[in-house]
Amino acid sequence: MYEASQVEKKWQKRWADKGLYTAALHDETRPKYYNLVMFPYPSGDKLHIGHWFNYAPADSWGRYIRMKGYNVFEPIGFDSFGLPAENYAIKTGIPPVKSIATNCAKMEQQLAAIGTMYDWSKKVVTSDPEYYQWTQWVFLQLYKKGLAYRKRAPVNWCPSCNTVLANEQVVDGRCERCKHEVTKKDMTQWFFNIRSYAEQLLDFSELEWPEKTILMQKYWIGRSEGSTVDFEIKGHPNEKITVYTTRVDTLYGCSYVVLAPENPLVEKILTPEHKAAFDAYYEQTKKETDILRSAEGREKTGVFTGAYAVNPINGDKVPVWVADYVLMTYGTGAVMAVPAHDERDYDFAKKYELPITQVIKPADGSKVSLADGAYTDDGVLINSEDFDGVESEMARKKITEILKNEGTGDFKVNFKLRDWLVSRQRYWGAPIPIIYCKDCGDVPVPEEQLPVMLPENVDFVPRGKSPLAFVPEFMQTTCPRCGKPAERECDTMDTFVDSSWYFLRYPSARAKEKPFDRELTNHWMPVDMYIGGPEHACMHLLYARFIHMVMRDLGYVDTKEPFKRLVHQGLVTKDGAKMSKSKGNVVSPDEFVERYGSDIFRMYLMFMGPFEAGGDWNDQGITGVARFVDRFWTLMTNRKQMKASDIEESAMRDLQRNIHKTLKKVHDGIEAFTFNTAIAGLMEFVNEAMKTGIDTDSRKMMVRAIAPLAPHLAEEIWEFLGEKDSVFNAEYPEYNPDLLVEDSIEIAIQINGKVRGTITVAVGAEKDSVLVMAKAQDNIKKYLEGASIKKEIYVPGKMVSFVI
RNA sequence: GCCGGGAUGGUGAAAUGGUAUACACGAGAGACUUAAAAUCUCUUAUCCGUAAGGAUGUGUGGGUUCGAGUCCCACUCUCGGCACCA
């Protein structure tokens, strides 16, 4: 009987004592392999099944790669800054420093119980000053390069809680905690200019990433090619309205222009009799959150400004409106409205009875009715003077060129991607290393003064500003430039900044004088395999690429991309539903690990389904894996047939074939991250080998095969079989394709596409002899009687097909 | 609405265009046992049949092919992401 808990403790201790997984960071004799998982947030809840489902197979992958001869570096750490710890502090009064320390310790124990190869000596904790001083350093590098800047921007604001809310704290336009309606408030905040890297971020050529993730990032960045068009404003010779459009071919159909309510131009051109209406409308808009404003099927609203603009292509006078369907954050905050060829403009024009002029007709000559909607496809221009008959694509080019010549327009590439707002009016984050001096303005904290320490004696209760603003010892400082009294920035950084460079620090995690050892990091980068949830497709994975590109441009790293290969784990469900506290269907790993051990628990998670698809947890399902482990243990440790000579010759051949067939299945399964089929292969092997028996050499082969999937079990058997060194210092067994070949094989016989019988033929048998045998098969004979064969197909080793 | 997955036994799931349901759970029967648990053996898509065999079967409807879970077209449901991007 295999005693998992004893065995696992024994090996975990031995691994730690020997420092088996302390990476040989400078070893150049083996190719390096940086095997990384997205580090966890140390929450008060324990390690959940999702963590296990991510980390255990990721570790199996690392062990497999290690046995394949690579020098594997598998680090871990904690993404420990962030909202939950602060909210917990507000609720309980326990400072985040304390709760995080407790949670990390607890989680470290649980992570250790998985039996992973983590190199704990390289642990990184983002809320430790020894880490966040370098997050502040990263900020300063961006600042120096002009990539960090300040501007006013709206935040979600809860007037009742007196606090700024993150997007995820706004539920249906209301505050998550007090249910009060959320409004917007303008605040001056720090941004990273990620937009200037938009074009580079669209280059995915070096990445072995899921197609889906690349597509999501592409869409998120949202590159579009279009034109800007300048409209003069009647009575305002010094102002103009610049619009951005991807459909300049529809310019002759422009029947009005729309500005975003926040557009500063509105104030200037508004006529007195329309001021009251606009003010009311603007107030209304401010109250509505982005979420409400973009609600599906929302009716278009807007107000007339009283002003008129001039269409530069034909001199048409068109009214200027304000509507909240135009966003200040995209394009120029102004659009030319072509109701005939844009859905939103169409709805708006219908409602406010603005003219709808068709200027595009389908290229195939089919008729279009504008009675029930806009025609949004490309086509051929009509009602467009000189451009009548020109195709949309050509017209876009020609019209823009004319505008360009006249100085009223140009080609323009636009991005949906917005700059990254990094300011958080929060306590539990890395303070932004900036000092405000009355005389010198914004002054960066000199690098040698880092870290800007987060004070511990702080009142966390929200009072409308970052809690740090109420800590005079923190706020009051002197200007590094002129030495006069000055104030610190009281906001902290978004936690995505912390996690956008941690992988650079891991190899030199304890470095004192620098964020990372340039040589070491360059040796280990890029991350060869990055494993984590698909929810990070757009935020974390984009930010990390951006920061990495900046670091490269500053000369700190050589690699172009941080994460070479990326794999997302699927979701673990319970009875087909997502696990959640509110549903009460959360499965705790601990009790199962205690009962079955980590190997069995790990293997069951891998057996549930393909890694990238996730799986459905079943309390009883794990018993199948437990039974398998017992059978495997028995097969490998019983005293019978330890020598090959004790096994009959034909049984030995069967065994060999069985072994190599299994090795292939396991190899294919692990390589494809379909560990479920790898384990199924091993189960089949055990079922077979129980009949034939197995000798010591074969046992050693199979123990190595299972080792990445069941590390403790494998070590124990490896030792039992007389080996002194760790099985993870052994080589992974390769399969021999020559030994896979069967002597004879059963093939199917089809008549008109239906299987009517089978015959057993020798491998490599001639077509003619196989056909003769097939025709002689009892059941087939019946079908062939009195029928004429029109066609005979023979697929060697697979089947025979007769068409009659 | 748009983008991307997915849909196969009672359940989790296998299947380079070539015998659909491997492997496992569950269920049923049996062996061992005073008994139970554990373990072992057998059966297990549905329908007809004692059997041999046959019919029907991979969300729906078409198509390509000697042959389709797999490829093509149209659709339904479901999960995930995005959402007035001009």
Side-chain angles (χ1 to χ4, degrees):
Chain A
M1 194 62 187
Y2 176 64
E3 294 294 340
S5 67
Q6 280 178 11
V7 169
E8 293 185 354
K9 276 191 200 105
K10 164 181 159 187
W11 286 103
Q12 282 169 16
K13 183 167 186 307
R14 213 177 279 185
W15 291 334
D17 290 349
K18 277 193 189 167
L20 189 66
Y21 307 129
T22 305
L25 290 167
H26 297 278
D27 181 2
E28 305 268 353
T29 60
R30 290 171 295 162
K32 68 96 185 176
Y33 197 97
Y34 194 166
N35 190 46
L36 186 64
V37 290
M38 293 180 186
F39 60 170
Y41 178 82
S43 82
D45 305 325
K46 294 182 175 173
L47 220 58
H48 55 73
I49 265 194
H51 287 121
W52 270 85
F53 194 79
N54 182 350
Y55 298 153
D59 177 66
S60 288
W61 173 255
R63 289 176 184 274
Y64 170 76
I65 287 292
R66 175 186 173 123
M67 292 178 78
K68 283 274 186 180
Y70 288 86
N71 184 20
V72 175
F73 179 41
E74 193 172 287
I76 190 79
F78 294 102
D79 188 14
S80 46
F81 269 140
L83 216 48
E86 186 163 344
N87 284 341
Y88 184 74
I90 294 167
K91 210 159 67 183
T92 63
I94 299 170
V97 189
K98 288 226 175 85
S99 62
I100 285 296
T102 318
N103 293 346
C104 285
K106 211 190 301 170
M107 262 178 128
E108 247 173 77
Q109 268 175 16
Q110 289 183 300
L111 284 166
I114 301 180
T116 51
M117 304 202 299
Y118 297 141
D119 181 349
W120 285 100
S121 71
K122 294 289 179 281
K123 180 178 72 174
V124 147
V125 180
T126 59
S127 61
D128 280 354
E130 70 156 26
Y131 182 85
Y132 73 69
Q133 72 164 308
W134 301 114
T135 304
Q136 292 170 338
W137 176 88
V138 167
F139 181 97
L140 292 177
Q141 304 316 303
L142 273 97
Y143 180 88
K144 274 197 269 181
K145 225 193 155 211
L147 289 168
Y149 67 95
R150 244 153 63 104
K151 73 171 180 195
R152 283 184 81 75
V155 291
N156 298 315
W157 181 259
C158 174
S160 158
C161 298
N162 207 14
T163 183
V164 173
L165 298 177
N167 278 334
E168 61 265 26
Q169 293 176 295
V170 184
V171 181
D172 295 328
R174 287 172 182 279
C175 170
E176 175 190 58
R177 208 159 346 136
C178 71
K179 309 294 176 220
H180 195 281
E181 213 169 76
V182 174
T183 65
K184 274 194 224 149
K185 188 174 168 179
D186 267 355
M187 281 190 160
T188 304
Q189 315 193 63
W190 285 96
F191 286 82
F192 284 165
N193 187 356
I194 190 171
R195 288 179 60 125
S196 58
Y197 278 73
E199 205 75 63
Q200 287 187 58
L201 287 165
L202 278 170
D203 178 10
F204 300 96
S205 56
E206 279 187 14
L207 303 181
E208 295 164 43
W209 282 24
E211 207 49 49
K212 184 188 168 179
T213 309
I214 291 179
L215 223 68
M216 278 170 70
Q217 286 208 357
K218 261 189 195 161
Y219 185 76
W220 190 267
I221 295 166
R223 184 185 195 275
S224 71
E225 288 180 11
S227 314
T228 54
V229 183
D230 297 340
F231 286 69
E232 279 176 21
I233 309 166
K234 287 272 182 202
H236 295 272
N238 298 325
E239 306 290 346
K240 62 178 182 185
I241 298 171
T242 302
V243 303
Y244 173 74
T245 176
T246 53
R247 291 300 305 273
V248 77
D249 54 316
T250 64
L251 185 53
Y252 284 91
C254 171
S255 44
Y256 59 105
V257 167
V258 196
L259 302 178
E262 304 89 343
N263 196 321
L265 216 49
V266 178
E267 292 291 339
K268 294 177 186 163
I269 64 170
L270 203 57
T271 57
E273 64 269 34
H274 290 99
K275 190 170 184 340
F278 169 75
D279 286 349
Y281 184 70
Y282 187 45
E283 278 309 306
Q284 183 63 32
T285 323
K286 262 204 292 195
K287 262 190 224 150
E288 289 173 349
T289 62
D290 288 342
I291 296 145
L292 244 157
R293 203 163 142 179
S294 62
E296 191 187 331
R298 188 162 174 272
E299 206 180 327
K300 304 271 172 296
T301 57
V303 289
F304 180 44
T305 61
Y308 288 88
V310 181
N311 188 338
I313 200 79
N314 56 7
D316 270 7
K317 195 179 103 173
V318 293
V320 180
W321 284 67
V322 169
D324 67 2
Y325 79 86
V326 176
L327 310 173
M328 197 54 217
T329 47
Y330 182 75
T332 58
V335 302
M336 62 175 219
V338 186
H341 306 290
D342 181 282
E343 294 291 352
R344 293 152 302 174
D345 299 343
Y346 183 89
D347 294 345
F348 193 83
K350 278 274 174 196
K351 180 168 176 187
Y352 294 103
E353 296 176 349
L354 293 153
I356 299 174
T357 315
Q358 187 183 349
V359 290
I360 305 285
K361 65 173 185 188
D364 60 10
S366 58
K367 281 259 183 276
V368 157
S369 160
L370 291 178
D372 36 54
Y375 174 74
T376 56
D377 291 346
D378 272 8
V380 175
L381 273 66
I382 54 172
N383 299 326
S384 300
E385 298 176 0
D386 295 350
F387 297 96
D388 282 357
V390 180
E391 300 230 335
S392 289
E393 206 181 318
M394 179 58 69
R396 285 196 279 270
K397 235 187 238 164
K398 288 194 164 168
I399 292 176
T400 308
E401 271 162 13
I402 285 181
L403 295 174
K404 198 175 170 181
N405 282 337
E406 292 176 355
T408 54
D410 206 344
F411 295 98
K412 165 93 177 156
V413 172
N414 228 324
F415 297 96
K416 281 188 206 173
L417 184 68
R418 297 182 203 171
D419 275 346
W420 176 10
L421 196 168
V422 296
S423 291
R424 293 292 181 273
Q425 293 71 40
R426 290 281 163 189
Y427 164 70
W428 192 232
I432 292 174
I434 294 287
I435 291 168
Y436 300 112
C437 170
K438 278 200 187 82
D439 298 335
C440 311
D442 305 357
V443 181
V445 173
E447 284 178 24
E448 60 276 12
Q449 284 179 25
L450 296 180
V452 176
M453 288 288 286
L454 196 57
E456 291 196 19
N457 193 13
V458 174
D459 179 7
F460 314 107
V461 180
R463 277 179 285 174
K465 267 188 180 177
S466 166
L468 293 181
F470 302 96
V471 184
E473 313 87 271
F474 174 84
M475 291 301 287
Q476 289 163 16
T477 184
T478 52
C479 171
R481 220 164 267 167
C482 67
K484 284 186 207 147
E487 269 205 343
R488 287 190 191 279
E489 163 71 60
C490 61
D491 288 353
T492 54
M493 272 184 263
D494 179 9
T495 54
F496 278 122
V497 184
D498 307 329
S499 58
S500 61
W501 74 279
Y502 74 109
F503 44 88
L504 298 175
R505 183 159 171 89
Y506 270 140
S508 46
R510 301 276 85 78
K512 289 265 184 285
E513 307 295 323
K514 50 200 165 189
F516 49 86
D517 183 292
R518 213 186 281 198
E519 209 176 305
L520 255 187
T521 294
N522 272 326
H523 173 66
W524 283 95
M525 288 299 284
V527 171
D528 294 277
M529 173 66 84
Y530 197 29
I531 301 177
E535 67 274 16
H536 293 109
C538 290
M539 310 285 263
H540 164 60
L541 286 167
L542 197 64
Y543 293 147
R545 290 181 65 214
F546 162 62
I547 294 293
H548 184 269
M549 282 176 185
V550 174
M551 288 295 136
R552 179 205 55 197
D553 288 349
L554 289 168
Y556 290 107
V557 286
D558 295 341
T559 32
K560 184 165 172 252
E561 288 283 347
F563 314 121
K564 189 169 167 226
R565 189 168 166 200
L566 173 74
V567 173
H568 297 302
Q569 81 272 20
L571 191 68
V572 183
T573 55
K574 179 75 171 57
D575 306 319
K578 200 172 172 172
M579 288 187 202
S580 72
K581 272 194 224 161
S582 56
K583 280 193 207 121
N585 62 350
V586 177
V587 177
S588 159
D590 293 12
E591 60 174 295
F592 289 96
V593 175
E594 204 169 303
R595 195 149 121 221
Y596 294 100
S598 105
D599 284 349
I600 289 172
F601 188 70
R602 172 198 292 234
M603 271 201 282
Y604 178 56
L605 289 175
M606 291 192 272
F607 186 64
M608 283 192 317
F611 182 68
E612 288 170 277
D616 196 66
W617 175 269
N618 182 315
D619 285 1
Q620 278 162 335
I622 194 171
T623 58
V625 176
R627 280 177 199 150
F628 159 70
V629 164
D630 257 331
R631 285 158 64 82
F632 190 85
W633 170 256
T634 307
L635 178 70
M636 291 294 161
T637 57
N638 70 25
R639 284 282 161 197
K640 275 192 286 176
Q641 290 169 329
M642 290 287 276
K643 280 185 286 188
S645 55
D646 293 341
I647 305 175
E648 259 184 72
E649 210 185 302
S650 76
M652 197 62 200
R653 266 205 312 278
D654 286 347
L655 177 66
Q656 281 301 313
R657 197 178 301 129
N658 186 14
I659 285 173
H660 286 271
K661 210 171 68 189
T662 306
L663 288 179
K664 179 171 173 14
K665 273 197 176 174
V666 175
H667 167 271
D668 291 353
I670 293 179
E671 290 282 345
F673 272 68
T674 51
F675 304 104
N676 53 334
T677 56
I679 293 167
L682 286 162
M683 286 172 168
E684 279 177 85
F685 164 77
V686 169
N687 293 345
E688 277 301 305
M690 281 290 196
K691 293 174 201 155
T692 55
I694 183 166
D695 60 287
T696 302
D697 285 345
S698 302
R699 289 179 194 202
K700 286 185 179 173
M701 194 100 110
M702 296 316 291
V703 171
R704 282 178 289 146
I706 205 176
L709 308 170
H712 309 85
L713 174 74
E715 287 279 37
E716 186 69 10
I717 298 172
W718 191 241
E719 187 184 51
F720 172 87
L721 293 174
E723 294 289 339
K724 298 277 181 281
D725 197 3
S726 166
V727 70
F728 296 102
N729 287 334
E731 227 174 273
Y732 200 78
E734 299 282 346
Y735 65 88
N736 181 347
D738 298 339
L739 293 176
L740 292 175
V741 183
E742 309 267 350
D743 306 336
S744 62
I745 192 162
E746 195 188 47
I747 66 168
I749 308 161
Q750 290 184 357
I751 304 234
N752 290 345
K754 285 202 187 295
V755 177
R756 295 300 180 186
T758 59
I759 48 169
T760 305
V761 300
V763 167
E766 291 295 316
K767 177 179 178 181
D768 293 348
S769 69
V770 172
L771 288 179
V772 170
M773 276 174 75
K775 285 173 194 165
Q777 205 265 5
D778 283 351
N779 201 41
I780 299 300
K781 258 197 279 188
K782 282 195 313 201
Y783 282 92
L784 294 181
E785 226 161 86
S788 67
I789 298 173
K790 280 193 202 154
K791 200 170 177 184
E792 297 174 336
I793 296 156
Y794 172 54
V795 183
K798 298 280 188 192
M799 45 83 67
V800 173
S801 181
F802 295 116
V803 185
I804 61 172

